[in-house]
Amino acid sequence: MDMKETFLRRTQIFDGHVVHLFVDDVRLPNGGTAQREIVTHAGGACVAALTARNELLLVRQFRYAFGEELLEIPAGKLERGEDPFEAMKREQREETGTRSDRYVSLGVTYPTVGYDDEKIYIWACRVTEPAGDQDLDPDEFLEVEKLDLWEAERMVMADQIRDGKTQIAILKTAALVRAGQL
Amino acid sequence: MDMKETFLRRTQIFDGHVVHLFVDDVRLPNGGTAQREIVTHAGGACVAALTARNELLLVRQFRYAFGEELLEIPAGKLERGEDPFEAMKREQREETGTRSDRYVSLGVTYPTVGYDDEKIYIWACRVTEPAGDQDLDPDEFLEVEKLDLWEAERMVMADQIRDGKTQIAILKTAALVRAGQL
């Protein structure tokens, strides 16, 4: 079955700092037409950084869209033309003051596929330079917390950690460590 | 540390069928102000439905934002005021023609927390009525595929299934089945 939808016409609604919004007219597989509301986003990169004792570095941050503080792995939006791997290392350094000399790719996640083209690239690592200070943007407020990896996995399973990229990164990292691959 | 950002003023940019976009002025913890571009969305519900033989029911669907066909678990947007559990059962029935008499909650995921308030509710089940026909919307085109749960888990780990809710649901469902809890 051909399920492809074909672009016909695009109307730009908004061109913001983070969100870009379009309404596209598309041709459906059955010959009809429909409109698709599409958010475009630069994408993001994040890292599950573990200490030698299997402690995961998390950042606690107020997320305005939810009115809640959330526990997340260090992450950030890609700058224009930025390589996701470089963006991830930058965010790790700025948010946690740590680096590593080896990273394992945990692949990509498409967070919300119905109306948004965002892709988030995920890595895991062992922290090799635990020293260093945070280097945050002036309007960035977050706290670093260490959490035992197995406790983090239990919290994901128990619905106590809700950020999607963090859920995926923790479950994949736990599987790798269990298999002796990280 | 107080990290809360306080609402000051809201400007509506777009009020669509799926996407609603606002720009809010907020007060930062340090007393300064900033703008937050916020997508609001009704939220979604989805289900990892397994046969007695540990086959997972997936839907293959063209996703316009990516220009790709993706493999996803059955899912849908909440209608106005709709209970997520009822929405999930409706989507399972419409997209796969199946039902179950017992569902296990896999919790909630916040797919992209920086600018979007969407929440996706996830369940798992064993299919008890495998018969029945799809009942799709006129502009909905998708194909159901059965995939062995362990193969699905391997594909998530190998970055071959990229939809976020589907990655989370597969990893959590595999853990539950392995623990004899589903």
Side-chain angles (χ1 to χ4, degrees), chain A residues 26-59:
Chain A
V26 302
R27 176 78 59 200
L28 297 174
N30 65 3
T33 59
Q35 289 200 323
R36 297 284 174 248
E37 299 163 5
I38 298 293
V39 173
T40 72
H41 182 276
C46 59
V47 61
L50 286 177
T51 69
R53 298 177 181 179
N54 282 340
E55 294 161 313
L56 184 65
L57 300 186
L58 294 169
V59 296

PDB file of all heavy atoms in Angstrom, chain A residues 26-59:
ATOM      1  N   VAL A  26      -1.388  18.914   1.753  1.00  0.00           N
ATOM      2  CA  VAL A  26      -0.764  17.692   1.229  1.00  0.00           C
ATOM      3  C   VAL A  26      -1.778  16.905   0.400  1.00  0.00           C
ATOM      4  O   VAL A  26      -2.993  17.001   0.615  1.00  0.00           O
ATOM      5  CB  VAL A  26      -0.212  16.788   2.365  1.00  0.00           C
ATOM      6  CG1 VAL A  26       0.804  17.549   3.215  1.00  0.00           C
ATOM      7  CG2 VAL A  26      -1.329  16.227   3.229  1.00  0.00           C
ATOM      8  N   ARG A  27      -1.245  16.148  -0.539  1.00  0.00           N
ATOM      9  CA  ARG A  27      -2.044  15.190  -1.322  1.00  0.00           C
ATOM     10  C   ARG A  27      -2.017  13.845  -0.598  1.00  0.00           C
ATOM     11  O   ARG A  27      -0.947  13.328  -0.276  1.00  0.00           O
ATOM     12  CB  ARG A  27      -1.427  15.038  -2.723  1.00  0.00           C
ATOM     13  CG  ARG A  27      -2.088  14.007  -3.612  1.00  0.00           C
ATOM     14  CD  ARG A  27      -3.375  14.476  -4.230  1.00  0.00           C
ATOM     15  NE  ARG A  27      -3.175  15.670  -5.045  1.00  0.00           N
ATOM     16  CZ  ARG A  27      -4.149  16.519  -5.400  1.00  0.00           C
ATOM     17  NH1 ARG A  27      -5.395  16.303  -4.998  1.00  0.00           N
ATOM     18  NH2 ARG A  27      -3.879  17.571  -6.134  1.00  0.00           N
ATOM     19  N   LEU A  28      -3.204  13.289  -0.318  1.00  0.00           N
ATOM     20  CA  LEU A  28      -3.301  12.003   0.381  1.00  0.00           C
ATOM     21  C   LEU A  28      -3.160  10.835  -0.603  1.00  0.00           C
ATOM     22  O   LEU A  28      -3.351  11.017  -1.819  1.00  0.00           O
ATOM     23  CB  LEU A  28      -4.656  11.907   1.088  1.00  0.00           C
ATOM     24  CG  LEU A  28      -4.907  12.949   2.183  1.00  0.00           C
ATOM     25  CD1 LEU A  28      -6.351  12.833   2.694  1.00  0.00           C
ATOM     26  CD2 LEU A  28      -3.927  12.767   3.322  1.00  0.00           C
ATOM     27  N   PRO A  29      -2.872   9.642  -0.078  1.00  0.00           N
ATOM     28  CA  PRO A  29      -2.746   8.465  -0.958  1.00  0.00           C
ATOM     29  C   PRO A  29      -4.011   8.189  -1.773  1.00  0.00           C
ATOM     30  O   PRO A  29      -3.941   7.645  -2.877  1.00  0.00           O
ATOM     31  CB  PRO A  29      -2.479   7.321   0.027  1.00  0.00           C
ATOM     32  CG  PRO A  29      -1.903   7.969   1.234  1.00  0.00           C
ATOM     33  CD  PRO A  29      -2.536   9.330   1.318  1.00  0.00           C
ATOM     34  N   ASN A  30      -5.179   8.550  -1.251  1.00  0.00           N
ATOM     35  CA  ASN A  30      -6.433   8.300  -1.985  1.00  0.00           C
ATOM     36  C   ASN A  30      -6.785   9.436  -2.940  1.00  0.00           C
ATOM     37  O   ASN A  30      -7.878   9.466  -3.496  1.00  0.00           O
ATOM     38  CB  ASN A  30      -7.580   8.049  -0.994  1.00  0.00           C
ATOM     39  CG  ASN A  30      -7.899   9.278  -0.146  1.00  0.00           C
ATOM     40  OD1 ASN A  30      -7.296  10.349  -0.323  1.00  0.00           O
ATOM     41  ND2 ASN A  30      -8.823   9.131   0.774  1.00  0.00           N
ATOM     42  N   GLY A  31      -5.874  10.374  -3.137  1.00  0.00           N
ATOM     43  CA  GLY A  31      -6.115  11.463  -4.085  1.00  0.00           C
ATOM     44  C   GLY A  31      -6.703  12.714  -3.469  1.00  0.00           C
ATOM     45  O   GLY A  31      -6.670  13.781  -4.088  1.00  0.00           O
ATOM     46  N   GLY A  32      -7.237  12.599  -2.267  1.00  0.00           N
ATOM     47  CA  GLY A  32      -7.785  13.768  -1.589  1.00  0.00           C
ATOM     48  C   GLY A  32      -6.683  14.677  -1.064  1.00  0.00           C
ATOM     49  O   GLY A  32      -5.497  14.421  -1.266  1.00  0.00           O
ATOM     50  N   THR A  33      -7.098  15.745  -0.425  1.00  0.00           N
ATOM     51  CA  THR A  33      -6.114  16.646   0.170  1.00  0.00           C
ATOM     52  C   THR A  33      -6.413  16.802   1.660  1.00  0.00           C
ATOM     53  O   THR A  33      -7.514  16.511   2.121  1.00  0.00           O
ATOM     54  CB  THR A  33      -6.140  18.040  -0.490  1.00  0.00           C
ATOM     55  OG1 THR A  33      -7.449  18.590  -0.327  1.00  0.00           O
ATOM     56  CG2 THR A  33      -5.788  17.971  -1.962  1.00  0.00           C
ATOM     57  N   ALA A  34      -5.400  17.238   2.392  1.00  0.00           N
ATOM     58  CA  ALA A  34      -5.559  17.491   3.822  1.00  0.00           C
ATOM     59  C   ALA A  34      -4.559  18.559   4.212  1.00  0.00           C
ATOM     60  O   ALA A  34      -3.642  18.888   3.454  1.00  0.00           O
ATOM     61  CB  ALA A  34      -5.331  16.213   4.629  1.00  0.00           C
ATOM     62  N   GLN A  35      -4.745  19.119   5.410  1.00  0.00           N
ATOM     63  CA  GLN A  35      -3.776  20.062   5.953  1.00  0.00           C
ATOM     64  C   GLN A  35      -3.007  19.399   7.075  1.00  0.00           C
ATOM     65  O   GLN A  35      -3.564  18.640   7.870  1.00  0.00           O
ATOM     66  CB  GLN A  35      -4.498  21.311   6.470  1.00  0.00           C
ATOM     67  CG  GLN A  35      -5.043  22.163   5.339  1.00  0.00           C
ATOM     68  CD  GLN A  35      -5.324  23.585   5.766  1.00  0.00           C
ATOM     69  OE1 GLN A  35      -5.769  23.813   6.882  1.00  0.00           O
ATOM     70  NE2 GLN A  35      -5.070  24.539   4.892  1.00  0.00           N
ATOM     71  N   ARG A  36      -1.722  19.695   7.152  1.00  0.00           N
ATOM     72  CA  ARG A  36      -0.866  19.182   8.223  1.00  0.00           C
ATOM     73  C   ARG A  36      -0.240  20.371   8.938  1.00  0.00           C
ATOM     74  O   ARG A  36       0.439  21.182   8.313  1.00  0.00           O
ATOM     75  CB  ARG A  36       0.242  18.275   7.660  1.00  0.00           C
ATOM     76  CG  ARG A  36      -0.266  17.016   6.963  1.00  0.00           C
ATOM     77  CD  ARG A  36      -0.719  15.967   7.960  1.00  0.00           C
ATOM     78  NE  ARG A  36      -1.330  14.802   7.329  1.00  0.00           N
ATOM     79  CZ  ARG A  36      -2.634  14.489   7.443  1.00  0.00           C
ATOM     80  NH1 ARG A  36      -3.465  15.241   8.130  1.00  0.00           N
ATOM     81  NH2 ARG A  36      -3.095  13.404   6.855  1.00  0.00           N
ATOM     82  N   GLU A  37      -0.490  20.452  10.249  1.00  0.00           N
ATOM     83  CA  GLU A  37       0.151  21.471  11.088  1.00  0.00           C
ATOM     84  C   GLU A  37       1.481  20.887  11.540  1.00  0.00           C
ATOM     85  O   GLU A  37       1.508  19.839  12.202  1.00  0.00           O
ATOM     86  CB  GLU A  37      -0.745  21.782  12.292  1.00  0.00           C
ATOM     87  CG  GLU A  37      -2.109  22.322  11.867  1.00  0.00           C
ATOM     88  CD  GLU A  37      -3.159  22.260  12.971  1.00  0.00           C
ATOM     89  OE1 GLU A  37      -2.817  21.888  14.119  1.00  0.00           O
ATOM     90  OE2 GLU A  37      -4.332  22.556  12.685  1.00  0.00           O
ATOM     91  N   ILE A  38       2.574  21.539  11.184  1.00  0.00           N
ATOM     92  CA  ILE A  38       3.904  20.964  11.401  1.00  0.00           C
ATOM     93  C   ILE A  38       4.791  21.945  12.165  1.00  0.00           C
ATOM     94  O   ILE A  38       5.049  23.056  11.700  1.00  0.00           O
ATOM     95  CB  ILE A  38       4.573  20.614  10.055  1.00  0.00           C
ATOM     96  CG1 ILE A  38       3.762  19.557   9.300  1.00  0.00           C
ATOM     97  CG2 ILE A  38       6.011  20.119  10.276  1.00  0.00           C
ATOM     98  CD1 ILE A  38       3.734  18.194   9.964  1.00  0.00           C
ATOM     99  N   VAL A  39       5.255  21.505  13.343  1.00  0.00           N
ATOM    100  CA  VAL A  39       6.284  22.235  14.078  1.00  0.00           C
ATOM    101  C   VAL A  39       7.641  21.744  13.569  1.00  0.00           C
ATOM    102  O   VAL A  39       7.875  20.541  13.491  1.00  0.00           O
ATOM    103  CB  VAL A  39       6.161  21.973  15.588  1.00  0.00           C
ATOM    104  CG1 VAL A  39       7.336  22.580  16.351  1.00  0.00           C
ATOM    105  CG2 VAL A  39       4.830  22.507  16.120  1.00  0.00           C
ATOM    106  N   THR A  40       8.506  22.681  13.201  1.00  0.00           N
ATOM    107  CA  THR A  40       9.884  22.263  12.914  1.00  0.00           C
ATOM    108  C   THR A  40      10.786  22.794  14.026  1.00  0.00           C
ATOM    109  O   THR A  40      10.561  23.869  14.584  1.00  0.00           O
ATOM    110  CB  THR A  40      10.375  22.735  11.532  1.00  0.00           C
ATOM    111  OG1 THR A  40      10.589  24.139  11.561  1.00  0.00           O
ATOM    112  CG2 THR A  40       9.383  22.378  10.444  1.00  0.00           C
ATOM    113  N   HIS A  41      11.785  21.997  14.327  1.00  0.00           N
ATOM    114  CA  HIS A  41      12.644  22.235  15.497  1.00  0.00           C
ATOM    115  C   HIS A  41      14.049  21.793  15.121  1.00  0.00           C
ATOM    116  O   HIS A  41      14.232  20.836  14.375  1.00  0.00           O
ATOM    117  CB  HIS A  41      12.099  21.416  16.672  1.00  0.00           C
ATOM    118  CG  HIS A  41      12.854  21.603  17.956  1.00  0.00           C
ATOM    119  ND1 HIS A  41      14.000  20.904  18.253  1.00  0.00           N
ATOM    120  CD2 HIS A  41      12.628  22.412  19.018  1.00  0.00           C
ATOM    121  CE1 HIS A  41      14.440  21.278  19.449  1.00  0.00           C
ATOM    122  NE2 HIS A  41      13.625  22.191  19.937  1.00  0.00           N
ATOM    123  N   ALA A  42      15.058  22.462  15.663  1.00  0.00           N
ATOM    124  CA  ALA A  42      16.447  22.172  15.298  1.00  0.00           C
ATOM    125  C   ALA A  42      16.916  20.792  15.740  1.00  0.00           C
ATOM    126  O   ALA A  42      17.913  20.282  15.241  1.00  0.00           O
ATOM    127  CB  ALA A  42      17.363  23.229  15.914  1.00  0.00           C
ATOM    128  N   GLY A  43      16.212  20.177  16.671  1.00  0.00           N
ATOM    129  CA  GLY A  43      16.640  18.888  17.210  1.00  0.00           C
ATOM    130  C   GLY A  43      17.480  19.067  18.462  1.00  0.00           C
ATOM    131  O   GLY A  43      17.879  20.189  18.819  1.00  0.00           O
ATOM    132  N   GLY A  44      17.747  17.953  19.141  1.00  0.00           N
ATOM    133  CA  GLY A  44      18.474  18.026  20.394  1.00  0.00           C
ATOM    134  C   GLY A  44      19.461  16.885  20.548  1.00  0.00           C
ATOM    135  O   GLY A  44      19.495  15.955  19.741  1.00  0.00           O
ATOM    136  N   ALA A  45      20.286  17.006  21.583  1.00  0.00           N
ATOM    137  CA  ALA A  45      21.275  15.971  21.890  1.00  0.00           C
ATOM    138  C   ALA A  45      21.376  15.860  23.398  1.00  0.00           C
ATOM    139  O   ALA A  45      21.244  16.861  24.117  1.00  0.00           O
ATOM    140  CB  ALA A  45      22.626  16.338  21.295  1.00  0.00           C
ATOM    141  N   CYS A  46      21.608  14.634  23.893  1.00  0.00           N
ATOM    142  CA  CYS A  46      21.633  14.414  25.341  1.00  0.00           C
ATOM    143  C   CYS A  46      22.540  13.238  25.669  1.00  0.00           C
ATOM    144  O   CYS A  46      22.929  12.479  24.785  1.00  0.00           O
ATOM    145  CB  CYS A  46      20.213  14.185  25.865  1.00  0.00           C
ATOM    146  SG  CYS A  46      19.351  12.789  25.139  1.00  0.00           S
ATOM    147  N   VAL A  47      22.855  13.100  26.952  1.00  0.00           N
ATOM    148  CA  VAL A  47      23.800  12.049  27.350  1.00  0.00           C
ATOM    149  C   VAL A  47      23.462  11.499  28.735  1.00  0.00           C
ATOM    150  O   VAL A  47      23.172  12.253  29.664  1.00  0.00           O
ATOM    151  CB  VAL A  47      25.258  12.573  27.317  1.00  0.00           C
ATOM    152  CG1 VAL A  47      25.468  13.743  28.279  1.00  0.00           C
ATOM    153  CG2 VAL A  47      26.259  11.450  27.594  1.00  0.00           C
ATOM    154  N   ALA A  48      23.495  10.164  28.826  1.00  0.00           N
ATOM    155  CA  ALA A  48      23.416   9.485  30.115  1.00  0.00           C
ATOM    156  C   ALA A  48      24.846   9.293  30.595  1.00  0.00           C
ATOM    157  O   ALA A  48      25.559   8.407  30.108  1.00  0.00           O
ATOM    158  CB  ALA A  48      22.699   8.143  29.977  1.00  0.00           C
ATOM    159  N   ALA A  49      25.290  10.152  31.512  1.00  0.00           N
ATOM    160  CA  ALA A  49      26.681  10.137  31.987  1.00  0.00           C
ATOM    161  C   ALA A  49      26.742   9.430  33.336  1.00  0.00           C
ATOM    162  O   ALA A  49      26.088   9.846  34.303  1.00  0.00           O
ATOM    163  CB  ALA A  49      27.204  11.563  32.116  1.00  0.00           C
ATOM    164  N   LEU A  50      27.534   8.359  33.400  1.00  0.00           N
ATOM    165  CA  LEU A  50      27.649   7.523  34.601  1.00  0.00           C
ATOM    166  C   LEU A  50      29.005   7.715  35.253  1.00  0.00           C
ATOM    167  O   LEU A  50      30.024   7.781  34.562  1.00  0.00           O
ATOM    168  CB  LEU A  50      27.542   6.045  34.232  1.00  0.00           C
ATOM    169  CG  LEU A  50      26.194   5.462  33.866  1.00  0.00           C
ATOM    170  CD1 LEU A  50      26.379   3.998  33.468  1.00  0.00           C
ATOM    171  CD2 LEU A  50      25.218   5.573  35.032  1.00  0.00           C
ATOM    172  N   THR A  51      29.017   7.741  36.573  1.00  0.00           N
ATOM    173  CA  THR A  51      30.289   7.677  37.288  1.00  0.00           C
ATOM    174  C   THR A  51      30.763   6.214  37.328  1.00  0.00           C
ATOM    175  O   THR A  51      30.037   5.292  36.934  1.00  0.00           O
ATOM    176  CB  THR A  51      30.133   8.179  38.741  1.00  0.00           C
ATOM    177  OG1 THR A  51      29.343   7.222  39.458  1.00  0.00           O
ATOM    178  CG2 THR A  51      29.464   9.540  38.783  1.00  0.00           C
ATOM    179  N   ALA A  52      31.988   6.009  37.847  1.00  0.00           N
ATOM    180  CA  ALA A  52      32.531   4.647  37.964  1.00  0.00           C
ATOM    181  C   ALA A  52      31.672   3.782  38.887  1.00  0.00           C
ATOM    182  O   ALA A  52      31.673   2.556  38.796  1.00  0.00           O
ATOM    183  CB  ALA A  52      33.966   4.715  38.478  1.00  0.00           C
ATOM    184  N   ARG A  53      30.906   4.440  39.796  1.00  0.00           N
ATOM    185  CA  ARG A  53      30.036   3.697  40.729  1.00  0.00           C
ATOM    186  C   ARG A  53      28.616   3.541  40.227  1.00  0.00           C
ATOM    187  O   ARG A  53      27.692   3.351  41.034  1.00  0.00           O
ATOM    188  CB  ARG A  53      29.960   4.455  42.056  1.00  0.00           C
ATOM    189  CG  ARG A  53      31.270   4.599  42.777  1.00  0.00           C
ATOM    190  CD  ARG A  53      31.031   5.440  44.014  1.00  0.00           C
ATOM    191  NE  ARG A  53      32.255   5.648  44.757  1.00  0.00           N
ATOM    192  CZ  ARG A  53      32.330   6.358  45.859  1.00  0.00           C
ATOM    193  NH1 ARG A  53      31.230   6.933  46.343  1.00  0.00           N
ATOM    194  NH2 ARG A  53      33.464   6.515  46.489  1.00  0.00           N
ATOM    195  N   ASN A  54      28.399   3.667  38.917  1.00  0.00           N
ATOM    196  CA  ASN A  54      27.050   3.551  38.349  1.00  0.00           C
ATOM    197  C   ASN A  54      26.082   4.590  38.892  1.00  0.00           C
ATOM    198  O   ASN A  54      24.881   4.337  39.029  1.00  0.00           O
ATOM    199  CB  ASN A  54      26.462   2.148  38.544  1.00  0.00           C
ATOM    200  CG  ASN A  54      27.026   1.146  37.561  1.00  0.00           C
ATOM    201  OD1 ASN A  54      27.571   1.526  36.509  1.00  0.00           O
ATOM    202  ND2 ASN A  54      26.893  -0.120  37.880  1.00  0.00           N
ATOM    203  N   GLU A  55      26.609   5.792  39.172  1.00  0.00           N
ATOM    204  CA  GLU A  55      25.710   6.901  39.500  1.00  0.00           C
ATOM    205  C   GLU A  55      25.459   7.692  38.221  1.00  0.00           C
ATOM    206  O   GLU A  55      26.402   8.034  37.489  1.00  0.00           O
ATOM    207  CB  GLU A  55      26.346   7.835  40.530  1.00  0.00           C
ATOM    208  CG  GLU A  55      26.551   7.201  41.887  1.00  0.00           C
ATOM    209  CD  GLU A  55      27.571   7.984  42.702  1.00  0.00           C
ATOM    210  OE1 GLU A  55      28.657   8.322  42.162  1.00  0.00           O
ATOM    211  OE2 GLU A  55      27.275   8.255  43.868  1.00  0.00           O
ATOM    212  N   LEU A  56      24.191   7.997  37.976  1.00  0.00           N
ATOM    213  CA  LEU A  56      23.789   8.744  36.785  1.00  0.00           C
ATOM    214  C   LEU A  56      23.712  10.233  37.134  1.00  0.00           C
ATOM    215  O   LEU A  56      23.151  10.602  38.171  1.00  0.00           O
ATOM    216  CB  LEU A  56      22.420   8.239  36.335  1.00  0.00           C
ATOM    217  CG  LEU A  56      21.826   8.808  35.060  1.00  0.00           C
ATOM    218  CD1 LEU A  56      22.671   8.417  33.848  1.00  0.00           C
ATOM    219  CD2 LEU A  56      20.397   8.300  34.892  1.00  0.00           C
ATOM    220  N   LEU A  57      24.266  11.079  36.260  1.00  0.00           N
ATOM    221  CA  LEU A  57      24.183  12.533  36.474  1.00  0.00           C
ATOM    222  C   LEU A  57      22.895  13.059  35.851  1.00  0.00           C
ATOM    223  O   LEU A  57      22.705  12.993  34.635  1.00  0.00           O
ATOM    224  CB  LEU A  57      25.384  13.237  35.837  1.00  0.00           C
ATOM    225  CG  LEU A  57      26.756  12.831  36.360  1.00  0.00           C
ATOM    226  CD1 LEU A  57      27.830  13.717  35.728  1.00  0.00           C
ATOM    227  CD2 LEU A  57      26.815  12.929  37.876  1.00  0.00           C
ATOM    228  N   LEU A  58      22.025  13.581  36.698  1.00  0.00           N
ATOM    229  CA  LEU A  58      20.754  14.137  36.237  1.00  0.00           C
ATOM    230  C   LEU A  58      20.704  15.623  36.542  1.00  0.00           C
ATOM    231  O   LEU A  58      21.383  16.096  37.459  1.00  0.00           O
ATOM    232  CB  LEU A  58      19.585  13.434  36.936  1.00  0.00           C
ATOM    233  CG  LEU A  58      19.427  11.957  36.586  1.00  0.00           C
ATOM    234  CD1 LEU A  58      18.419  11.300  37.518  1.00  0.00           C
ATOM    235  CD2 LEU A  58      18.965  11.797  35.134  1.00  0.00           C
ATOM    236  N   VAL A  59      19.909  16.358  35.784  1.00  0.00           N
ATOM    237  CA  VAL A  59      19.685  17.761  36.098  1.00  0.00           C
ATOM    238  C   VAL A  59      18.212  17.956  36.447  1.00  0.00           C
ATOM    239  O   VAL A  59      17.326  17.419  35.791  1.00  0.00           O
ATOM    240  CB  VAL A  59      20.111  18.699  34.938  1.00  0.00           C
ATOM    241  CG1 VAL A  59      21.607  18.606  34.700  1.00  0.00           C
ATOM    242  CG2 VAL A  59      19.361  18.407  33.654  1.00  0.00           C
TER     243      VAL A  59
END
